[in-house]
Every structure is written in C-alpha cells, then in structure tokens.
C-alpha cells in the first residue's frame, strides 16, 4: 500500500509543481482570465496520457522500449526548454509590472498565451504516460476482481491526492509572498526543477542507448537515500533527484544550473534596481 | 514561441512514436504455450516461467508478488545494454514488457526497491522464423543497401566470367606470358566478392583452394592450381600436360559460370553485407598480408586491394544505416579505410602493385597494422546495422 502511495505521490508532484507556480503567477499578476488555458493544457495532457496508455495496454500495438524512452527523454528536454522560457518570461513581465506600478495592460504576455497551454501540457504529459500505464495496470488488476487487487489503485490515488494537496499548499504559500519575493523564490526553484527534468531526460536517452555512459556513475547514494523511501520519493518528485546519478546526468545538470541560475540572478537584480529607481523617481515627483 | 515551433515539436514526437511501434502479439509458437512469459518478482527472487523463447515479439508478464516497488529488465549479452524495461511495478500489480528480440544470449533482472544490479539470470532467445526484418525508414535503407550490393556483385561476377574465359583460353593454348599478365587482374573480381562465393559452400574450395590447405585425398583445382603451373618452383615440379591443363581450366570456367548464374538472383540482407565486409578484411589479415595467398605469383597486393574494395563497397552500402545508428563508428571505419588505402597506394607500380616478395618486413608490418586498425571497428558493423 505504502509503495503504491509513494508512486502516486512522486508522479503527482512531478506533474503538478510547474503548473502550480504558473497558476500562482497568473493569479498574483492579476490575469486570472488566462487560467482556463492552463486547465485546458492540463486536461489535454491527462486525456492524451490516459488514452495513449489505454491504447498501449490493450491495443494491438505497443511502443518498443527504445521508443518509449526516446519519447520520454526528448519530451523531458522539450519541457526544460519551455520551463526555462517561462522562468525568464515571468522575470521579464515582473519588471514591466514593477515599472508600471498601476498594473496597466501588459502586452508582453500576448505572445505567450498559447505557450502557457503548452507548458501545462508538457509539465503534466511528461509523466502522464508512465502514470497512465501504471493506473491502467492497476485498474485491470482490480477489474479481474481478485480482492486485494484494488489496493494498488487506492494507494496510487491517495498518493496523487496527497500530491495535489501539497501542490495546493505550495500555491497558498506562494500567494502569501510579496511579488518580488515570489519571482525570486519560484524562479530559483523552477531552475532546479528544470535542471532535474533535464538530467532525467538525459537518463532516459542513456537507457535507450541513444546517449552513452549509462553505467558510468558520478555518485551512488541509493543505500542512504532509498528510491522507495519517502524522502527519496519527495526528492525525485520535486527535483528529479536520482540517488544513482550518471556522470552525463550530473554534467547536464551543472551545465544547465550554473549559467541559467547566473542569468536569473542578474535579471532579478536588474529588476530590483529598476524598481528602486522607479520608486525614487516617484518620490522625487512627490517632492517636486 | 510560435505555432510553427509547436507543430514541429508535435510532428517530431509523432514520428518517434510511429517508428517505435511494436506488436503486442507475442510470437505464435512460444514455448511457454500461453504466449506470455510469466515473471514473478518478490523481495528476494525473480522467477521466470521459462529460460528460453523463440526470436520474435516476446511478452514478459511481470507480476510483483513482493512488498517493494519493482522493475524488470531484459539486458543484452554484455549485461549492460538495456533491451527493454518496465518500471513502477507496484506490489500486487502486473505489467507487460513487450520486446522484439533477435536470437542470442540475454540476462533478465528484477530490481525490488529499484536499487542495485538486480536479481539476474541467463535468458536465451533461440532462432525462429519470426519476421524481424526492419520496418519503416530502416527498411528503405536496408532495401537500398541490398539492391546496391546486389548490382555490385552482378557487375563483378560478370567481369570475372569475361576475364576468366580469356584467361583459361590463353592458358590452354600455352600462351603462358599473356596468361601470367592477366592472372592477378582477373582474380581481383573474384576477391572483391569472395564472401558471396564462399556462401556457396561447394564452389569456393573448387575455385580458390591453396595447396597448403589441401586435405588428404582432395583433388586440387582452381586458380591456385593454375598459378603454380604458370609460376612453377625451380625444382621438383613437373608441368601439367596439355590434357591436364584443359581439364583444370574447363573446370574453373564451369564453376565461374555457376557462380555467375547463382549471383543473378541472390539476395543480400544487410547483416550478410556487413559480415561480408568483415570477412574480407579477415581474408586480408590471414592470407594477403602474410603472402600466403599467392605463394607462386606473389601478386598478393592485387588480392589485398580487391578485398579492401569489396569491404568498402559493402560498408558504403549500409552506411546510411550506420550513420543513423552509430555515427562515431561510421566515421571511425571511414577514416581507417582511407588510411589503409593510403598505405596500399605507396606500393602501386604502373597499373598494378609491387610483388609481395619486394616488400620489406617493415612495410609488411605497416600494412598489417593498418588492416588490424580497420578490422577492429569493422567487427562492430553488423551489430550496429542490425540492432
């Protein structure tokens, strides 16, 4: 039961965190009217995953292992590209928001409207197929009616529910932050999430033999942080941390985190500066 | 972030998805009877209903009877390459792993708790009639390679037949000088496609057997029998009589005609082409670079060149597949072919080559190093092409 619960929790966290931050951002920046697009993206990803999962489980054709991994891996890497774009898009509009303190209509967002849908699709769809395959397997076991076989399904559902609750708490917490803190913290957090997704994508491609070095480990702490433990599950679900990380995964992680984090710090600083100069300009006006 | 980017991404993903389709139907004559191989994974055991299955689509139905989340892997013979895997098999659940597996040795592994090397055991996939032919783009590339190689073999055997006809004519009528001049050139067409001739087990020994390889009681015919007669040892050799010459010569021509006829319709799957390339380089290593092939005429470098030609053509045919699947191997093989050809070019003389006995030991060593450098990556060609 616990094992199934943890799978649900892990997959749920992986899928929901990016979406939650996106939603919090739209609410905080007063663009609630865009929320349906996010939900549209989420719904599309869930529907496609469940449909595809059912097709692969019961249909005449399945995906080869290599194709499954190649698909998952490249989807992850595409997701990283979109989340990175989103991080900087948020930081950029934050600047516009802070310089136009009255919250005038923001045209910068115009181009990004449909991309929001796509970010939501990718964030959920990335883990969606795997989760769907799991759920269908649990469902078919349950419908075969062998008593305890509903356990996995209930366990996974509880795990998913917990993930949603946790995500909701993150959302509430994020709403309490003031705007500049919100951008700073969620931005940094998303960089770490995206880096995790990238290294996970690299791992998938290594498993599919598209990239080399699957057994060339940088470190292996799986004895301390067991993958099936609660801490292992949460680390995996949030940061995509793998206790046994290959050198290539670590390399990709570092190559992503260092420059992107540096760029974001730079952007946040220049945002603060423009905010200060804007407010000092306002003070001068008052003084005059 | 335009819609174009979006549609491109979607198109790319659909393409990946479609090219990776595999049938969920297991191979019909699976030895387990039910068509599915049952795997039971517990906390400390990984039991399979059978240790052997015929090649084709295999379905491993993995049931987790333990208390920890488990994973199941099918690994290649090296124990490293992942042929297929299912993750997240929760306690009480069963999930299927579907793989298309060619004959060979494998390992199965369950990983309760998802850590470590897993609980491993041997698994064998036996040969079967299941259709494991490549599909989609790969099939187009494979078909192209077969067609091209087929044309090459046809062309070479045609030229071989023409030149052999002339050669045996000269030899029969005692025009030994002219026959000697034609010998090496005519044989090049043979050496270029030798793996094909060798695949017809009856022809090769009759046509290309060396005296040293004669088994007791075996009749010596073919090219090297004539070679010895044209370049006889200084003592202890009696030249063949005109009647004996005619018998040997007619036999060679007859066998060449048979080879010609059979190669009109022969088919060449990609693994046959890539293996042929490797065999040709092995021929160079065991016969030509040692000077054993042309013991009497010493025209080993002609054969050497022809073997390299044949190997290169085979490689070039399957190259689009290799490029797609293992670009590093492709460039390594290509570089080494060029390097070896440069070494050979050093020994060109007129329209032909130096005789083997004119080479210095250092030069032979250099050639041999070049051959080995090429053979090493070439030995990985078939795996790269077929897997």
């Amino acid at each position: 039961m616990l094992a199934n619960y943890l799978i649900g929790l892990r997959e749920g966290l992986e899928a929901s965190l990016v979406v939650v931050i996106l939603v919090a951002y739209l609410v905080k920046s007063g663009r609630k009217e865009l929320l349906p697009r996010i939900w549209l993206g989420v719904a599309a990803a869930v529907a496609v995953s469940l449909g595809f999962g059912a097709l692969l489980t019961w249909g005449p054709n399945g995906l080869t292992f290599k194709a499954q991994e190649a698909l998952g891996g490249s989807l992850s890497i595409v997701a990283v590209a979109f989340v990175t774009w989103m991080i900087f898009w948020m930081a950029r509009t934050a600047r516009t928001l802070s310089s136009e303190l009255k919250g005038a209509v923001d045209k910068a967002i115009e181009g990004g409207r449909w991309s929001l849908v796509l970010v939501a699709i990718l964030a959920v769809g990335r883990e969606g197929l795997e989760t769907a395959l799991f759920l269908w397997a649990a469902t078919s076991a349950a419908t075969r009616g062998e008593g305890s076989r509903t356990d996995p399904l209930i366990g996974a559902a509880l795990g998913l529910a917990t993930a949603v609750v946790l995500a909701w708490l993150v959302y509430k917490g994020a709403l309490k932050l003031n705007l500049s803190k919100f951008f700073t913290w969620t931005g940094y957090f998303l960089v770490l999430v995206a880096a995790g997704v990238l290294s996970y994508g690299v791992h998938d491609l290594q498993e599919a033999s598209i990239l080399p070095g699957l057994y060339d480990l940088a470190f292996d702490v799986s004895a301390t942080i067991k993958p099936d433990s609660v801490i292992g599950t949460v680390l995996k679900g949030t940061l995509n941390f793998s206790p046994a990380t290959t050198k290539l995964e670590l390399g990709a992680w570092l190559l992503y985190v260092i420059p992107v984090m540096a760029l974001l710090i730079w952007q946040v600083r220049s945002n603060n500066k423009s905010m200060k100069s804007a407010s000092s300009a306002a003070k001068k006006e008052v003084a005059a | 972030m335009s819609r174009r980017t979006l549609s491109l991404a979607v198109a790319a993903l659909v393409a990946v998805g479609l090219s990776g389709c595999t049938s969920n139907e297991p191979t019909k004559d699976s030895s387990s009877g039910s068509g599915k191989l049952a795997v039971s994974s517990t906390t400390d055991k990984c039991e399979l209903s059978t240790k052997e299955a015929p090649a084709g689509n295999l379905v491993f139905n993995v049931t987790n009877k333990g208390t920890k989340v488990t994973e199941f892997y099918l690994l290649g013979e090296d124990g490293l390459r992942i042929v297929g895997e299912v993750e997240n098999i929760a306690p009480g659940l069963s999930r299927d792993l579907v793989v298309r597996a060619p004959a060979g040795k494998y390992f199965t592994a369950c990983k309760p708790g998802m850590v470590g090397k897993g609980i491993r055991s041997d698994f064998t996939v036996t040969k079967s009639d299941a259709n494991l032919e490549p599909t989609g783009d790969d099939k187009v590339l494979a078909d192209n390679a077969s067609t091209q190689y087929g044309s090459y073999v046809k062309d070479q055997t045609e030229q071989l037949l023409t030149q052999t006809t002339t050669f045996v004519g000269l030899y029969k009528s005692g025009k030994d000088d002219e026959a000697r001049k034609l010998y090496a050139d005519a044989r090049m067409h043979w050496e270029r496609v030798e793996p094909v001739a060798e695949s017809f087990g009856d022809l090769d020994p009759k046509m290309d057997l060396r005296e040293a390889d004669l088994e007791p009681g075996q009749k010596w015919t073919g090219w090297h029998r004539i070679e010895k007669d044209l370049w006889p040892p200084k003592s202890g050799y009696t030249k063949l009589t005109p009647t004996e010459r005619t018998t040997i010569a007619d036999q060679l021509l007859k066998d060449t005609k048979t080879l010609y006829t059979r190669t009109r319709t022969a088919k060449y799957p990609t693994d046959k082409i890539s293996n042929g390339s490797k065999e040709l380089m092995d021929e160079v290593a065991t016969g030509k670079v040692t000077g054993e092939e042309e013991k009497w005429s010493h025209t080993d470098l002609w054969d050497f060149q022809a073997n390299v030609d044949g190997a290169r053509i085979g490689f070039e045919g399957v190259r689009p597949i290799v490029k797609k699947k293992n670009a590093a191997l492709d460039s390594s093989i290509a570089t080494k072919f060029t390097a070896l050809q440069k070494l050979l070019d050093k020994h060109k003389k007129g329209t032909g080559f130096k005789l083997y006995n004119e080479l210095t030991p250092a030069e032979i060593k250099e050639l041999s190093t070049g051959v080995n450098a090429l053979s090493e990556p070439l030995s990985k060609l078939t795996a790269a092409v077929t897997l």
Side-chain angles (χ1 to χ4, degrees), chain A residues 4 10 60 62 64 115 207 215, chain B residues 1 6 20 22 24 80 85 88 90:
Chain A
N4 303 308
R10 186 181 75 211
T64 62
S115 308
E207 290 199 323
Y215 297 92
Chain B
M1 200 61 64
L6 185 125
T22 186
N24 275 345
L80 300 176
E85 116 195 283
N88 273 350

Side-chain angles (χ1 to χ4, degrees), chain B residues 216-350:
Chain B
Q218 197 175 8
K219 191 170 176 258
W220 190 26
T221 59
W223 285 100
H224 295 300
R225 179 70 196 93
I226 302 178
E227 181 203 358
K228 190 176 182 182
D229 202 45
L230 286 173
W231 285 272
K234 292 209 172 66
S235 58
Y237 179 78
T238 328
K239 286 203 114 195
L240 296 176
T241 64
T243 333
E244 285 170 323
R245 277 198 173 202
T246 307
T247 320
I248 298 280
D250 287 350
Q251 181 67 47
L252 178 63
L253 190 60
K254 188 175 156 250
D255 292 337
T256 309
K257 276 180 184 158
T258 311
L259 177 67
Y260 173 86
T261 316
R262 288 187 192 169
T263 47
R264 292 312 92 180
T265 50
K267 294 269 181 286
Y268 309 94
T270 45
D271 61 326
K272 212 166 168 184
I273 301 175
S274 54
N275 276 330
S277 279
K278 174 70 175 95
E279 281 166 33
L280 280 167
M281 290 319 297
D282 291 344
E283 290 279 337
V284 176
T286 54
K288 284 74 180 184
V289 98
T290 56
E292 286 166 43
E293 179 83 11
E294 307 291 353
K295 194 176 172 209
W296 314 103
S297 66
H298 303 298
T299 55
D300 298 275
L301 288 189
W302 278 259
D303 296 0
F304 192 144
Q305 177 69 61
N307 282 167
V308 172
D309 289 345
R312 208 193 62 236
I313 296 287
F315 164 63
E316 277 168 4
V318 297
R319 219 175 154 181
I321 308 173
V322 191
K323 266 192 187 153
K324 207 173 130 197
K325 295 192 171 173
N326 189 343
L329 181 68
D330 172 73
S331 69
S332 162
I333 295 178
T335 317
K336 274 147 192 170
F337 263 120
T338 314
L340 183 60
Q341 189 57 53
K342 265 196 183 149
L343 287 180
L344 261 174
D345 288 347
K346 289 208 285 191
H347 306 297
K348 276 207 165 128
K349 203 170 162 185

Side-chain angles (χ1 to χ4, degrees), chain A:
Chain A
M1 187 71 158
L2 180 67
N4 303 308
Y5 173 81
L6 289 177
I7 291 177
L9 178 63
R10 186 181 75 211
E11 305 290 328
L13 280 177
E14 285 194 40
S16 60
L17 280 173
V18 172
V19 173
V20 158
I21 287 168
L22 203 55
V23 169
Y25 168 74
L26 289 180
V27 171
K28 277 188 89 77
S29 58
R31 277 185 289 253
K32 276 189 179 162
E33 77 276 8
L34 290 178
L35 282 179
R37 293 183 188 230
I38 306 274
W39 300 130
L40 178 72
V42 171
V46 170
V48 167
S49 297
L50 286 176
F52 215 43
L55 196 70
L56 290 181
T57 311
W58 290 300
N61 289 302
L63 276 185
T64 62
F65 159 73
K66 203 170 165 175
Q68 234 176 65
E69 296 297 302
L71 195 69
S74 28
L75 213 58
S76 294
I77 289 167
V78 173
V80 172
F82 276 87
V83 170
T84 311
W85 165 82
M86 190 180 102
I87 293 167
F88 286 98
W89 170 68
M90 282 168 54
R92 202 172 52 237
T93 38
R95 180 154 58 185
T96 329
L97 279 179
S98 53
S99 61
E100 297 175 23
L101 291 166
K102 299 276 184 233
V105 179
D106 182 11
K107 280 186 180 147
I109 197 170
E110 206 55 46
R113 289 191 168 189
W114 286 104
S115 308
L116 293 181
V117 181
L118 201 59
V119 174
I121 291 182
L122 285 170
V124 176
R126 192 173 59 78
E127 283 308 306
L129 183 62
E130 181 65 29
T131 314
L133 283 172
F134 173 85
L135 287 176
W136 288 129
T139 313
S140 62
T143 49
R144 274 201 304 268
E146 290 167 50
S148 70
R149 290 271 168 117
T150 47
D151 269 13
L153 198 56
I154 295 170
L158 285 177
L160 280 172
T162 311
V164 171
V165 170
L166 281 178
W168 184 75
L169 288 176
V170 169
Y171 170 73
K172 281 286 160 195
L175 286 190
K176 280 198 194 110
L177 291 169
N178 74 37
L179 204 59
S180 83
K181 262 191 189 152
F182 173 81
F183 286 120
T184 318
W185 288 112
T186 55
Y188 294 156
F189 178 64
L190 279 177
V191 172
L192 292 179
V193 169
V197 173
L198 178 67
S199 86
Y200 178 77
V202 166
H203 185 81
D204 271 354
L205 296 182
Q206 284 183 313
E207 290 199 323
S209 301
I210 292 169
L211 292 176
L214 181 57
Y215 297 92
D216 203 2
L217 293 183
F219 60 84
D220 186 352
V221 293
S222 39
T224 327
I225 305 174
K226 293 205 167 70
D228 57 347
S229 65
V230 176
I231 175 85
T233 299
V234 172
L235 278 178
K236 171 83 182 156
T238 51
L239 302 178
N240 256 305
F241 173 77
S242 156
T245 295
T246 67
K247 284 183 184 153
L248 205 63
E249 281 178 70
L250 182 66
W253 193 88
L254 290 173
L255 270 179
Y256 179 85
V257 164
I258 294 170
V260 173
M261 199 59 110
L263 255 172
L264 187 65
I265 290 172
W266 177 77
Q267 174 125 34
V268 166
R269 280 205 181 148
S270 67
N271 279 358
N272 289 344
K273 227 180 258 169
S274 71
M275 206 151 29
K276 265 183 204 148
S277 67
S279 63
S280 66
K283 268 180 204 156
K284 266 181 206 158
E285 258 174 51
V286 172

